Amino acid sequence: NAGVTQTPKFQVLKTGQSMTLQCAQDMNHEYMSWYRQDPGMGLRLIHYSVGAGITDQGEVPNGYNVSRSTTEDFPLRLLSAAPSQTSVYFCASSLDGVEQYFGPGTRLTVT
Amino acid sequence: RKEVEQDPGPFNVPEGATVAFNCTYSNSASQSFFWYRQDCRKEPKLLMSVYSSGNEDGRFTAQLNRASQYISLLIRDSKLSDSATYLCVVNMDRGSTLGRLYFGRGTQLTVWP
């Protein structure tokens, strides 16, 4: 099993550009989530999904959209990138919504 | 007030030392508790769950005190490979929002030879 995969590993965007961070898992987990990690802030939940077709907002959802058309994939869309979205983004999946398996992360810089 | 608060560290200890990390959480209805480990520039990985009766995994011991809303992690006989950031994580099940995890900011540990 590949576990949780994320692409790209690194990305630089200009303010106002949009892009999609990809996340996929091959463990047949129903629960998937996106976090961002900033220095001194810890991980904060952006959006999560408890199954295909079901998504909900986390602590910091503004500026991000998600969809869950399949069990395997959970992409995160940045609608109009802002410097405040410079961060490390982690996707995670879970069988039961409790123990999380994280992907390797995407390092995003918005200039 | 942040949902999960941790000792900020950093902790710098010699090999073989015993070190303890503390964590408090704000929501008394919290259901599950964990310690995750995160190496530099890597993803977090589950270290151990924390059970009400306390639990041990080799050199690592986790304790939970629900009355004080307090979690601890004790590492005995520290190894160089224990150097990492340790994240306290709490699952606050709020009815329909099953499985929302709240992470502390992490405590950085450096073990020196």
Side-chain angles (χ1 to χ4, degrees), chain A residues 10 31 35 37 40-43 45 48 57-59 90 97-100 102-104 107, chain B residues 2 32 34 36 38 41-44 46 87 91 96-105:
Chain A
F10 301 93
Y31 188 92
Y35 295 86
Q37 186 172 35
M41 298 291 292
L43 279 92
L45 182 65
Y48 66 103
Q57 297 181 350
E59 299 173 67
F90 289 103
V98 178
E99 180 180 345
Q100 308 270 333
F102 285 85
R107 283 182 161 68
Chain B
K2 200 161 165 46
S32 310
F34 308 90
Y36 276 70
Q38 185 173 25
R41 301 180 73 80
K42 298 286 190 182
E43 71 273 23
L46 179 67
L87 308 174
N91 175 22
S96 62
T97 56
L98 177 67
R100 287 185 58 167
L101 296 186
Y102 290 84
F103 286 75
R105 296 177 185 180

Side-chain angles (χ1 to χ4, degrees), chain A residues 23 32-34 47-49 55 66-68 72-76:
Chain A
C23 174
M32 295 186 75
S33 51
W34 276 102
H47 286 284
Y48 66 103
S49 167
T55 63
V66 292
S67 59
R68 184 93 179 272
E72 293 77 22
D73 300 296
F74 191 43
L76 177 73

